[in-house]
Amino acid sequence: MQRAPVPTLERASVREIARLVSCGARSAEQVARETLARADAYDEIQPQAWIARETPERVLAAARRVDARIASGDTLPLAGVPFAVKDNLDVAGLPTSVACPAFAYPAESSAAVVEQLMSAGAIPVGKTNLDQFATGLVGTRSPYGAPRCVFNREYVSGGSSSGSAVVVAAGVVPFALGSDTAGSGRVPAAFNHLVGLKPTRGRWSTRGLVPACRTLDCVSSLTLDAEDARLIDRVLTSFDPEDPYARRAPAHAAAALPESFAFAVPRPLQLQFYGDAESAALFAAAIERLSAAGGTPVEVDASPLLEAAQLLYAGPWVAERTAVLETLLNRQPAAVHPVVRAIAQAGAGVSAVETFRGLYALQRYARAIEPLFERAALLLLPTTPTIYRVSEVLAEPVQLNSQLGLYTNAVNLLDLAALAVPAGFRRNGTGFGVSLIAPAWSDERLLELAARLERRVPLGPPPPLDVSTRTPSVRLAVVGAHLAGMPLHWQLTSRGARLAQSTRTAARYRLYAMSGQTPPKPALVHVGAGGSPIEIEVYELELEAFGSFVAEVPPPLAIGTVELADGTSVRGFVAEPRALPGALDISHHGGWRAYLASQGDPIRGLIR
């Protein structure tokens, strides 16, 4: 069953809204009312995208002020454009929580970038959810809930700018502010078919941003296309003398790319997709697409960049996160998300010696990548190697998060500019993106190239939003290593499987302990007359989760049909004939657990 589509103003761009309001074809108040209606509608689907919404009265009052300015003759590049703000940036009148209620404080003034946008005519409508303290690339580390990919809500939205990506991709607002320290703006852009700009460090002010890693943090933007990102960049690029980390742009900006240019790609053996063949194919297609826009791919050694990425969490920079959270960790450690707490606490032991060693290593990597940009104008990388389900990330929160940062973690460390752009969709509907990466102050060059790419080799339209209320499911009978408490049970829980019943098969089966299996596994064989009832558990999985599970079942096991004691049938584990040579018939035990207990070691087989 499907809800009615959420109204999206046809995913109107920043430029289109500003043009209509500026010429009087629409009023800022009309746009604001429509935005509030869209936000209310999408709240029925993903209310967790927001942490705090502005009241309708404040939004409409701000819109009327914009209309008054237009009437008085002001030229406003963002006239009447609604936008969202990640809740680690201050917005006057709203609390800043960084997704931690115990840390929250009322913001008395707005962050510099919010003030600049409002001066240009933009209207903030609320604060969006994030991985707590901007520590994560998944969007699941928040007490306010986990925003999900707008095209398939089984999958993560990406983070830490999770809510900002969701409300833009869903058409609630045409752009949002995020932040980016290790990919926090680029990863959710990739998963939700958006453009994510990670500007050169210090190009945009970070005054009013709660830091994650103060020396690396950037405010980022999430937009529907590159031209919108260019417009936001023009508004926000300025030197802020009140921000100690602001930098003055060089006198001469990088020249626009010529019609023909070289772009670097890693050597094939340096590319890792963690088994995601679709992402690998989409990256190959992205190389062809950039070539069609005038580029020539050049294979380079990307190992310095990939190795530098390890410094972010395995090096001393984790102590910067500790510096932000030190007081809260000492006074209220339970107020911090467990994964975030573990990361931040690890930084407490970082010594000055380790810090300098990390700085020395980083400088070596920075020098090592210089020849790369002498051979090519930019580097093309996958934004992420793959995507994961929310359930998978909850089951394995550290490792899977780390894998998503494979190609993004080093960019801020090495003082590079990066632009994540859409590059297609996987069959499950989730977005795949690539990143255009170049030395600091190449921002305008990257934005111009992305706009050229959109014009010359456009992608197809995005799939419809996932607004389903129920998805088809499959019942699956498990008999051995996937039972609750057994070593492979996580393969079910990570896919959101729900226990439907504990029961027995019909008395038509024999159960065998196969030889040479790690972990130990049984084989369930239908024999008809002379069989026994065997204890099983039946789980319910959503259809797509079932499909991915089946793809991982190794021979000689297979998924077939299993008849239950009540006469009904479900999908379930069965065995091929080759499973039986050397196997032990254990049917008389009545089930796998009873057999293990009979061996005198009830936990045998539970160690992975």
Side-chain angles (χ1 to χ4, degrees), residues 501-514:
Q501 63 183 132
S502 296
T503 184
R504 292 175 180 268
T505 67
R508 296 184 176 87
Y509 293 87
R510 306 296 294 178
L511 190 67
Y512 297 85
M514 294 187 293

Side-chain angles (χ1 to χ4, degrees), residues 475-480 483 499-507 509 511 524 532-539 562-571 589-593:
R475 290 199 167 198
L476 174 72
V478 300
V479 69
L483 294 166
L499 178 64
Q501 63 183 132
S502 296
T503 184
R504 292 175 180 268
T505 67
Y509 293 87
L511 190 67
L524 185 70
S532 301
I534 304 298
E535 290 184 350
I536 58 172
E537 292 172 350
V538 179
Y539 287 86
V562 175
E563 186 180 351
L564 306 186
D566 63 4
T568 62
S569 296
V570 297
R571 308 299 287 173
H589 290 288
W592 185 240
R593 283 198 182 92

Side-chain angles (χ1 to χ4, degrees), residues 98-157:
V98 206
C100 180
F103 183 88
Y105 61 88
E108 297 180 359
S109 60
S110 293
V113 286
V114 175
E115 291 177 344
Q116 288 170 280
L117 294 169
M118 293 178 68
S119 294
I123 300 168
V125 298
K127 308 288 290 296
T128 53
N129 203 354
L130 66 154
D131 283 305
Q132 192 178 74
F133 292 106
T135 301
L137 295 174
V138 285
T140 63
R141 301 172 179 177
S142 171
Y144 297 97
R148 295 162 180 257
C149 177
V150 299
F151 304 115
N152 186 336
R153 287 184 285 126
E154 185 181 348
Y155 288 82
V156 296
S157 62

Side-chain angles (χ1 to χ4, degrees), residues 63 67 85 90 126-127 156 159 184 189 195 243 245 275 285 308 321 332 338 346 358 450 459 462 545 601 605:
D67 286 332
V85 181
D90 290 342
K127 308 288 290 296
V156 296
S184 287
V195 171
D243 175 6
Y245 285 90
R321 299 182 188 270
Q332 293 179 264
L459 289 170
D601 183 359

Side-chain angles (χ1 to χ4, degrees), residues 191-430:
F191 293 165
N192 294 280
H193 196 65
L194 300 174
V195 171
L197 172 59
K198 198 296 296 180
T200 297
R201 288 198 329 246
R203 181 179 176 88
W204 299 356
S205 176
T206 56
R207 178 165 49 90
L209 171 71
V210 177
C213 293
R214 187 71 182 89
T215 62
L216 303 178
D217 292 336
C218 299
V219 175
S220 65
S221 67
L222 296 113
T223 58
L224 296 172
D225 60 27
E227 289 291 0
D228 278 359
R230 292 176 82 177
L231 177 54
I232 301 304
D233 179 63
R234 292 189 194 107
V235 170
L236 294 182
T237 298
S238 63
F239 176 72
D240 180 3
E242 297 182 53
D243 175 6
Y245 285 90
R247 298 159 72 185
R248 290 178 173 84
H252 302 287
L257 284 174
E259 285 298 307
S260 299
F261 59 92
F263 65 95
V265 294
R267 296 169 180 169
L269 291 179
Q270 293 175 334
L271 287 168
Q272 169 66 269
F273 295 96
Y274 299 106
D276 186 344
E278 285 188 79
S279 289
L282 287 167
F283 183 64
I287 294 174
E288 294 299 320
R289 186 167 174 246
L290 194 55
S291 299
T296 300
V298 177
E299 283 189 12
V300 298
D301 179 8
S303 60
L305 186 138
L306 298 175
E307 291 169 13
Q310 304 305 311
L311 290 174
L312 191 65
Y313 286 101
W317 281 268
V318 71
E320 287 204 86
R321 299 182 188 270
T322 314
V324 177
L325 299 180
E326 187 175 27
T327 300
L328 187 61
L329 288 170
N330 290 335
R331 294 179 180 176
Q332 293 179 264
V336 183
H337 187 283
V339 177
V340 177
R341 182 170 68 241
I343 292 169
Q345 286 175 332
V350 174
S351 69
V353 172
E354 290 172 305
T355 300
F356 279 106
R357 285 175 179 161
L359 290 169
Y360 301 155
L362 181 60
Q363 192 61 35
R364 289 194 297 271
Y365 290 128
R367 181 54 50 84
I369 67 168
E370 288 177 359
L372 185 157
F373 292 111
E374 292 170 359
R375 296 184 61 194
L378 68 143
L379 171 66
L380 181 73
L381 287 178
T383 300
T384 69
T386 187
I387 188 172
Y388 297 108
R389 296 173 183 81
V390 171
S391 55
E392 290 173 322
V393 169
L394 293 176
E396 189 60 63
V398 176
Q399 181 63 32
L400 300 190
N401 182 93
S402 297
Q403 289 174 185
L404 292 182
L406 177 66
Y407 301 116
T408 59
N409 282 357
V411 168
N412 299 48
L413 283 164
L414 293 170
D415 193 20
L416 303 171
L419 185 68
V421 297
F425 293 91
R426 302 173 187 85
R427 286 194 298 270
N428 59 28
T430 60

